[in-house]
Amino acid sequence: MAKKKLTTVAKAPKVKLSPRDAKTAERLTGLADRVVSAANNRKDPYVEIPSRTLANVHYSPRKKIIEMGNATNRRQLFDLSQAKAYMRTMLVTSGCKKLIDQGKSTSLRGLFYMLKHTIEGVKENTFDEQGECDTIIEDVEVLLSSIREELHLYAENRGAMVGAITFTDKGDEINCAKMGSGGYAIPSIVEPEVVVFDKAKCKAKFILHVEKGTVWQRFNEDRFWEKHNCILTHGSGQPPRGVRRMLHRLHNELELPLYCVLDNDPWGYYIYSVIKQGSINLAFESQRMAIPEAKYLGLRSIDFERCQLSDSVKISLNDTDRKRAKQVAQYPWFEKKPKWQTEIKKMLSNDFKLEVESLISKDISYVTEEYVPTRLREQDWLD
Amino acid sequence: MATRKPIKKRSVPATATKKKAPPAASAAKRKAAPKVAEVSPEESPGADEAAAEDDSAGDEAAATAKSTGRRATAQSMASKQRDISVSEFFAKNRHLLGFDNPRKALLTTIKEAVDNSLDACEEAGILPEIWVHIEQTSTDRYKIGVQDNGPGIVKKQIPLIFGKLLYGSKFHRLRQSRGQQGIGISAAGMYGVQTTGKPVKIISRISPKKPAHYYEIQIDTKRNEPKILNGAGEGVDIAYGEKGAKDIEKHGIEWVDQPHGTRVTIELEAKYIRGRGSVDEYLHQTAIANPHITLHYTDPEGNVREYQRAADKLPPEPKEILPHPYGVELGRLAAMLAEAEGMSITQFLSTKFSRVSPAVAKKICTTAKVSPRAMTRKLGRPEAEALYHAIQATKIAPPATDCICPIGEELLLKGLYQVVPGEFYAAATRPPSVYRGNPFQIEVALAYGGAAATQNVDKDLLEDLIEETDARTIRQFLVSTFNGLGTDAADRIMKAASLGTRQAPKQLKPKERQRLLDAMQNVNVAEGQTMEVMRYANRVPLQFQQAACAITQTITSTNWRSYGLSQSRGGMPKGPVYIMVHIASVWVPFTSESKEAIASYPEIQKEIRLGLQAVGRKLGMYVRKRMRVKQQGDRRDIFMRYLKEVASAVSEVNGVDRDGLYNQLLTVAKRVTADADMKLDDRGRKIKEPSEETDFGENVLIVDPKTHAAAIKRGPAAVAVAEGE
């Protein structure tokens, strides 16, 4: 086997598996057993993988989240186009089983290296790029309805938070009010086994989520969270699962409302949509991640006039942007909201987009001292 | 009026003159035609008339000259106006006959000699055996010798046939033959004499009991008469046996001893180049289209290549036919009317043309408003014209088509198989059809998959081949050893093997040999290869003016994509395909005098297209089937590749026995890819009986390219091509 990249996680290698791990291991073994029984019966082994496409997700108006449908894709070993994918699925299965058995966890890239090797007799690798491995991991997640964390896998840390809250992470106390300029890096696994909240230790009244690190820096430098008594987070663009899960837990367990400050472009709208309703690709995790009550604070397409910005901050829309905007407008969760329709139409008629940084043209701290406080005060947001 | 006849039939001199002659020489040009007519044994009754026309034209010219004050008068011009001999004309315009450059001169000379030999043998009912020898005598001079086992030529005729232009037996009849004009060989001789001063040497024997005749001839271009140089203008006889052989040697020529036959030796200024449009190509293609001949060819480098006959039966003798009324032009009709003595119109029509019954003749007369009993002589120009239009308007049965002798599907396959490497062969002979009153027939044959020979070579064979070759570079070795491998593909192989262009094959180190072998097996030589087209008219290969030819045009306008070949719009299809198209006709419509391209008559193009489609459909079936087999094989490979991985992954998860699971999965894989399995069992032999699974219809040949003798040319010297299966 290829070299292993094991990262030490404060979890003692026990012979006895935790109940959660035992359940996951059982599911993995079940997958392998089905191959054996198919082979015994002279049948093609196959797996039914729930389909992770737009066609197989639907919006639940009641729960206000995206849910995955029942459609599945059959992946067969004896199908020319699927044989390799099938083999990879089995490799990932065995890799995860090994991690669980040894009580260790690894990064996605770690697993990629763990499973990557040259197939015997041919000049072909099991995996050539990490992306190939990552999609298979997602397949296995939906296949076993076990999330990544249960498979002992984690992603790179992305996103940061500061604010008036103290919690424990793997037993260490984290005081988010004393995080300096860098903030607390949100880990990819923020499950209750790792991150434990204490309601008493949270003084924050709401969460402000901004799109990018640079904007977040602005807010942090201005000690926005201190003045307004909130938690400040960012997700480096499209927020990774760790950030979304963190927001979800903060929102639900500590009952903190969530406000988002994102760019005024289709991409910003989409980020909001993902935070609020869940993503198509990870629809199976919407339940654990989506925050239907999240509010969209800005930037709005009316801000160009409202804040009297100069012409120089406009970035004209390109064809992809226009197309994307129309797609977003047609999402079921936006379709029936006149305010959102007006918002998107306004942007299209503006024919330009605005980044949050554009507010700096007014004043360096305009966004933290003027823009956001005003919106919050006036309760001027989109839902 | 009668001048129309020579113009029509002897399209060579007439049209040529038209193009070349400057306007001032128009009178001379008119003279040229009757001069040509003189050569024909029958008297041309139109000559006087033509002369009369000339006179009146001259008068007119003189009248205009007087009024405008020209530099020369009609009288002074008249003194310069004189006869032009055909031979003089062709001596000046030798490009018209295919002697434009030294390279082509060599080919044309051989071609004319071989065509004549084949025609003679076939007419006499002898299975042809031809010896061709090219020998370099100095840097730009070659001596060619062509011998046949034909009936021989009687003594009196030898000088005329080889030393007089437009003398022959084929011109005055409507019959399928290779030669049509009677110019070729004598023109070749003339070219030889002009460029080297050496006479044409002919030996001919008509019977083992009689001595052979030996002549050395020069053509007298002024008079278009042969001049015999040896034996005081009489030639010499050469005895049979030892003594004769010595005599022959003394004259510096060769003679393969035969009871009967003819050998012609011409020395000429020429250039020998291999490749497209070469003598090698011509003989190669001739062998394909004439599977009943045996050919021994010695090239200037001394290499001997032998083509053994694949069929022991002569093609049936073509019949001579009367012209069909639809194909006759007004001028020709008028001339025929004038020639026909003492005949009524009805008689004339029904005896001088094919497919005209008295009833039909009567109908034509009624339409033309001419009395059916009127005598032909009395008909004037207007009546002739009326008759001509009436013929076109009357429904007449198409001409008899049994006068055409196609090669036949079976022989096409045999011929192609013997010479062209491939794994799939198909042939189609179309039923005869008619263009402009001339019957013709189209045949198409196809060979597919011929370029893979490099992949079938193993280490030992490669060693042998390298040992045998006399090629100086690897590229030359590859191109000359593997039939159908182009220089492009050879370059790709060498690049893949990272070998230099100038390396000699014999000096390759073992490691380099291994690299060469690997490259040969891995490079897809068929990539970028385009279809090779071989065009034939009456079994004679056409090697030039490919783009102008109806055959090429029809091939490019046919959609080959539906037959499993890739093709860019309006281009030649790509892939390892050889296609041969043969048109047999009593009168093949060439676009020009040099007989290099077929004219695009819609009827001919339609027949070619139907023929192409017939073989194309079969090819499509084969290609698709092969693809299916290949896909199944690929599937098997892919599954095999991953099975072990799957088995070990599963055993790691649930601890099941890895090898046990692997074997079980293997069983499933075998069941799933059963098709490929069947093919695998058959490897090394014919892939499949075609009738068993796919019905290709008749006349299809499928072979395993690995065992195909034509695929690899062994050694520098002769290795006879194996007999057909």
Side-chain angles (χ1 to χ4, degrees):
Chain A
M1 276 299 222
K3 58 178 175 179
K4 288 169 193 174
K5 188 178 173 185
L6 295 173
T7 324
T8 44
V9 176
K11 188 174 183 185
K14 286 177 286 182
V15 185
K16 188 110 178 90
L17 297 174
S18 74
R20 201 174 167 189
D21 282 346
K23 213 170 122 194
T24 314
E26 194 184 308
R27 286 177 185 164
L28 289 167
T29 318
L31 205 59
D33 288 344
R34 285 216 294 281
V35 179
V36 178
S37 69
N40 282 338
N41 296 327
R42 303 276 181 272
K43 291 263 167 56
D44 302 5
Y46 65 88
V47 288
E48 292 279 0
I49 298 172
S51 157
R52 292 182 290 117
T53 57
L54 182 60
N56 192 37
V57 295
H58 62 267
Y59 175 63
S60 158
R62 192 176 57 79
K63 292 191 215 158
K64 292 186 177 170
I65 57 169
I66 299 175
E67 287 183 317
M68 193 147 68
N70 297 322
T72 55
N73 287 331
R74 179 173 286 209
R75 180 170 293 166
Q76 286 170 291
L77 173 56
F78 294 111
D79 183 299
L80 215 53
S81 55
Q82 296 172 354
K84 192 164 190 181
Y86 186 92
M87 174 209 65
R88 286 171 170 172
T89 313
M90 285 304 150
L91 283 176
V92 168
T93 309
S94 80
C96 292
K97 179 74 170 24
K98 202 180 275 170
L99 287 172
I100 292 171
D101 285 347
Q102 297 183 1
K104 294 188 176 169
S105 65
T106 178
S107 66
L108 298 180
R109 191 152 187 84
L111 185 74
F112 161 64
Y113 275 115
M114 199 168 121
L115 301 176
K116 184 184 177 188
H117 60 262
T118 306
I119 297 169
E120 201 184 308
V122 279
K123 289 174 190 164
E124 191 182 338
N125 285 332
T126 48
F127 295 99
D128 286 316
E129 283 173 32
Q130 194 192 331
E132 295 167 348
C133 187
D134 291 354
T135 39
I136 300 285
I137 292 170
E138 283 175 4
D139 287 343
V140 173
E141 284 179 63
V142 291
L143 180 63
L144 303 176
S145 37
S146 305
I147 52 166
R148 200 154 68 190
E149 295 74 43
E150 293 171 333
L151 299 172
H152 287 219
L153 296 171
Y154 58 82
E156 199 188 333
N157 292 349
R158 228 168 83 196
M161 71 188 265
V162 284
I165 183 172
T166 305
F167 55 84
T168 54
D169 176 355
K170 287 273 180 192
D172 296 339
E173 188 162 281
I174 309 286
N175 184 353
C176 283
K178 294 184 174 171
M179 280 294 154
S181 60
Y184 168 69
I186 303 172
S188 89
I189 300 177
V190 291
E191 294 308 304
E193 296 94 351
V194 181
V195 176
V196 184
F197 294 132
D198 182 353
K199 220 169 181 178
K201 287 183 182 170
C202 174
K203 297 192 185 70
K205 293 287 171 266
F206 66 93
I207 312 161
L208 185 75
H209 178 81
V210 300
E211 185 170 335
K212 287 166 287 192
T214 48
V215 180
W216 183 88
Q217 291 287 9
R218 176 85 265 117
F219 280 88
N220 191 22
E221 199 177 294
D222 290 347
R223 307 295 274 181
F224 179 88
W225 51 273
E226 214 169 49
K227 284 175 206 157
H228 296 271
N229 198 16
C230 72
I231 295 170
L232 191 62
T233 60
H234 81 86
S236 304
Q238 169 80 273
R241 281 202 247 179
V243 172
R244 287 173 58 199
R245 179 71 180 141
M246 179 64 107
L247 292 174
H248 184 266
R249 286 191 65 204
L250 289 170
H251 173 78
N252 286 306
E253 293 171 31
L254 303 176
E255 289 157 14
L256 300 175
L258 171 66
Y259 304 100
C260 304
V261 177
L262 307 163
D263 288 347
N264 182 245
D265 59 16
W267 187 239
Y269 297 156
Y270 184 72
I271 291 175
Y272 172 69
S273 155
V274 167
I275 292 174
K276 196 176 165 77
Q277 267 87 29
S279 75
I280 294 160
N281 206 23
L282 298 174
F284 60 100
E285 293 206 294
S286 294
Q287 196 78 43
R288 306 170 50 248
M289 293 192 176
I291 307 162
E293 292 81 22
K295 307 281 188 270
Y296 184 85
L297 216 57
L299 267 58
R300 302 275 301 277
S301 28
I302 47 168
D303 283 343
F304 181 73
E305 285 97 22
R306 192 164 61 176
C307 304
Q308 293 161 342
L309 298 174
S310 69
D311 275 350
S312 57
V313 302
K314 289 178 181 175
I315 303 171
S316 45
L317 295 180
N318 58 30
D319 284 347
T320 344
D321 289 334
R322 281 184 275 264
K323 217 173 115 192
R324 192 87 186 93
K326 281 171 194 155
Q327 269 176 9
V328 171
Q330 278 166 12
Y331 282 158
W333 46 95
F334 284 142
E335 210 179 1
K336 303 236 166 64
K337 288 179 178 162
K339 275 187 173 177
W340 266 109
Q341 295 298 325
T342 337
E343 168 70 24
I344 296 170
K345 258 181 216 140
K346 172 73 177 154
M347 184 190 69
L348 284 170
S349 69
N350 280 352
D351 206 34
F352 60 79
K353 49 191 179 185
L354 293 170
E355 290 190 319
V356 178
E357 286 95 327
S358 68
L359 297 174
I360 290 174
S361 67
K362 294 282 287 184
D363 182 78
I364 294 178
S365 293
Y366 178 79
V367 64
T368 59
E369 285 166 6
E370 186 70 35
Y371 185 85
V372 175
T374 315
R375 297 288 98 78
L376 287 170
R377 198 170 51 242
E378 292 173 0
Q379 305 208 337
D380 175 17
W381 53 64
L382 287 173
D383 189 14
Chain B
M1 249 170 276
T3 48
R4 283 307 287 258
K5 177 190 167 194
I7 285 169
K8 168 64 198 111
K9 284 199 88 179
R10 262 151 247 172
S11 57
V12 179
T15 35
T17 338
K18 241 183 232 162
K19 274 185 211 155
K20 290 289 149 192
S26 66
K29 175 194 98 191
R30 294 224 178 110
K31 286 267 167 122
K35 179 69 193 171
V36 170
E38 221 178 76
V39 181
S40 75
E42 31 177 298
E43 240 197 31
S44 172
D48 293 348
E49 253 179 81
E53 262 181 35
D54 284 346
D55 289 346
S56 62
D59 289 348
E60 275 168 40
T64 33
K66 259 176 220 158
S67 59
T68 50
R70 292 269 170 86
R71 273 172 272 185
T73 60
Q75 281 76 18
S76 69
M77 283 162 76
S79 65
K80 290 176 200 154
Q81 291 161 350
R82 60 187 178 89
D83 274 353
I84 299 165
S85 135
V86 218
S87 28
E88 266 182 317
F89 175 78
F90 283 122
K92 266 195 172 168
N93 293 298
R94 57 195 187 202
H95 55 274
L96 295 177
L97 299 172
F99 295 91
D100 349 10
N101 55 53
R103 183 185 178 194
K104 221 168 150 189
L106 183 71
L107 172 68
T108 309
T109 307
I110 298 219
K111 191 171 166 163
E112 293 296 346
V114 170
D115 287 353
N116 281 354
S117 292
L118 291 176
D119 272 345
C121 291
E122 281 169 22
E123 204 172 334
I126 300 165
L127 273 173
E129 185 164 2
I130 312 273
W131 290 262
V132 177
H133 187 183
I134 307 176
E135 207 181 325
Q136 190 163 10
T137 50
S138 70
T139 39
D140 55 355
R141 275 192 194 186
Y142 287 82
K143 192 166 88 178
I144 67 115
V146 175
Q147 186 180 340
D148 60 47
N149 62 342
I153 307 168
V154 294
K155 187 177 173 185
K156 173 164 81 69
Q157 292 292 339
I158 295 174
L160 291 170
I161 287 174
F162 290 95
K164 190 175 166 84
L165 289 185
L166 292 171
Y167 186 90
S169 55
K170 296 165 197 169
F171 186 80
H172 294 280
R173 60 186 186 191
L174 221 44
R175 181 179 186 270
Q176 182 191 335
S177 63
R178 291 179 179 79
Q180 285 176 341
Q181 251 81 260
I183 299 179
I185 192 63
S186 31
M190 188 169 78
Y191 174 83
V193 172
Q194 275 186 343
T195 52
T196 65
K198 296 274 169 70
V200 183
K201 297 171 181 176
I202 301 119
I203 302 179
S204 189
R205 165 176 284 146
I206 53 174
S207 149
K209 287 172 198 142
K210 290 187 180 162
H213 301 294
Y214 173 62
Y215 277 108
E216 290 183 4
I217 293 169
Q218 267 190 356
I219 188 164
D220 180 349
T221 33
K222 274 253 162 58
R223 296 188 300 131
N224 186 22
E225 289 289 340
K227 205 160 90 193
I228 300 154
L229 302 180
N230 63 338
E234 285 298 317
V236 290
D237 285 358
I238 288 174
Y240 201 74
E242 280 290 312
K243 190 176 164 290
K246 242 177 227 158
D247 270 2
I248 290 169
E249 221 182 306
K250 206 173 67 198
H251 293 298
I253 48 172
E254 302 159 57
W255 171 255
V256 183
D257 214 5
Q258 289 280 316
H260 48 79
T262 307
R263 185 181 189 102
V264 54
T265 305
I266 299 173
E267 193 167 342
L268 70 161
E269 196 181 296
K271 200 169 175 185
Y272 174 80
I273 297 172
R274 286 208 175 90
R276 183 149 284 184
S278 64
V279 176
D280 300 24
E281 189 191 59
Y282 162 74
L283 292 174
H284 184 78
Q285 295 190 359
T286 303
I288 296 171
N290 299 277
H292 60 285
I293 67 168
T294 292
L295 193 62
H296 313 268
Y297 167 46
T298 313
D299 73 13
E301 282 154 29
N303 300 338
V304 181
R305 183 140 173 82
E306 310 236 341
Y307 297 90
Q308 297 293 338
R309 66 172 57 94
D312 287 329
K313 234 175 75 188
L314 271 173
E317 200 185 348
K319 279 186 208 149
E320 204 176 322
I321 58 157
L322 291 168
H324 191 271
Y326 282 170
V328 172
E329 271 131 358
L330 179 56
R332 172 106 176 94
L333 180 70
M336 284 173 78
L337 280 169
E339 277 172 41
E341 291 284 333
M343 261 191 217
S344 73
I345 291 286
T346 345
Q347 263 179 319
F348 165 77
L349 286 173
S350 49
T351 55
K352 296 281 178 187
F353 292 100
S354 66
R355 300 291 175 165
V356 181
S357 64
V360 172
K362 216 170 196 173
K363 211 165 155 195
I364 294 172
C365 292
T366 328
T367 321
K369 300 200 173 75
V370 179
S371 158
R373 293 213 206 118
M375 296 308 273
T376 48
R377 244 180 327 150
K378 294 200 176 134
L379 290 180
R381 187 85 185 191
E383 284 89 0
E385 207 168 324
L387 265 183
Y388 173 75
H389 290 298
I391 287 171
Q392 304 303 322
T394 312
K395 207 171 171 224
I396 304 168
T401 46
D402 55 357
C403 53
I404 297 179
C405 296
I407 302 169
E409 289 169 344
E410 195 189 329
L411 284 183
L412 277 173
L413 282 182
K414 272 191 185 168
L416 207 55
Y417 169 77
Q418 247 187 10
V419 187
V420 176
E423 52 189 273
F424 175 83
Y425 300 83
T429 298
R430 293 284 311 154
S433 183
V434 176
Y435 81 93
R436 265 191 42 208
N438 293 314
F440 72 96
Q441 194 163 11
I442 296 290
E443 293 180 285
V444 181
L446 171 148
Y448 174 80
T454 46
Q455 286 170 354
N456 302 330
V457 172
D458 58 11
K459 203 168 179 206
D460 296 339
L461 181 56
L462 180 66
E463 295 285 338
D464 287 355
L465 290 171
I466 289 179
E467 239 9 84
E468 285 168 17
T469 188
D470 62 347
R472 268 174 245 115
T473 64
I474 301 170
R475 184 207 271 162
Q476 202 185 349
F477 161 70
L478 289 171
V479 172
S480 61
T481 308
F482 299 100
N483 213 344
L485 188 78
T487 44
D488 274 7
D491 283 345
R492 263 183 288 139
I493 290 178
M494 289 191 314
K495 202 175 163 201
S498 45
L499 293 169
T501 19
R502 301 205 168 268
Q503 268 172 292
K506 285 202 176 114
Q507 267 141 39
L508 287 182
K509 297 183 186 82
K511 229 182 213 167
E512 290 172 324
R513 288 181 190 212
Q514 186 57 45
R515 282 216 304 271
L516 179 64
L517 183 68
D518 287 347
M520 278 163 62
Q521 269 157 1
N522 292 329
V523 171
N524 179 11
V525 290
E527 193 185 294
Q529 198 179 345
T530 50
M531 179 186 268
E532 292 278 337
V533 180
M534 292 178 280
R535 301 170 289 135
Y536 293 90
N538 284 349
R539 294 169 184 252
V540 177
L542 309 177
Q543 290 169 287
F544 298 98
Q545 294 200 18
Q546 184 162 12
C549 184
I551 293 172
T552 322
Q553 286 161 4
T554 316
I555 288 173
T556 52
S557 66
T558 304
N559 180 9
W560 290 90
R561 267 164 296 203
S562 48
Y563 305 134
L565 299 179
S566 62
Q567 178 188 28
S568 53
R569 212 178 156 74
M572 275 284 172
K574 299 205 163 56
V577 194
Y578 285 81
I579 199 151
M580 73 175 272
V581 179
H582 176 222
I583 173 170
S585 177
V586 290
W587 190 263
V588 178
F590 290 109
T591 54
S592 68
E593 301 82 358
S594 45
K595 303 206 281 184
E596 283 161 351
I598 311 281
S600 305
Y601 281 98
E603 297 91 340
I604 294 178
Q605 282 196 313
K606 183 186 158 209
E607 283 298 314
I608 295 175
R609 176 161 299 118
L610 290 171
L612 291 173
Q613 285 168 346
V615 293
R617 272 192 298 275
K618 290 176 183 178
L619 173 69
M621 281 160 77
Y622 178 76
V623 170
R624 274 189 294 274
K625 189 180 154 184
R626 210 179 68 142
M627 226 131 82
R628 218 161 46 230
V629 172
K630 191 177 171 318
Q631 273 172 358
Q632 295 276 324
D634 284 355
R635 274 176 77 187
R636 162 74 61 82
D637 284 354
I638 287 172
F639 298 151
M640 294 296 189
R641 215 180 293 166
Y642 301 144
L643 285 186
K644 214 160 226 169
E645 291 293 331
V646 170
S648 30
V650 168
S651 89
E652 270 173 41
V653 176
N654 63 1
V656 80
D657 174 41
R658 197 185 80 161
D659 296 335
L661 179 63
Y662 174 70
N663 287 333
Q664 271 176 331
L665 287 173
L666 212 60
T667 327
V668 184
K670 274 184 187 149
R671 188 179 59 77
V672 174
T673 56
D675 277 8
D677 214 25
M678 189 174 66
K679 299 299 155 200
L680 289 175
D681 292 346
D682 274 7
R683 276 266 169 90
R685 285 207 204 157
K686 280 188 184 177
I687 293 171
K688 196 88 196 77
E689 293 304 321
S691 55
E692 256 183 62
E693 218 180 55
T694 319
D695 185 19
F696 286 112
E698 284 183 342
N699 295 307
V700 166
L701 186 67
I702 297 172
V703 293
D704 185 346
K706 283 183 186 177
T707 59
H708 193 179
I712 299 173
K713 291 179 216 153
R714 295 293 296 265
V719 176
V721 180
E723 290 283 327
E725 281 193 349

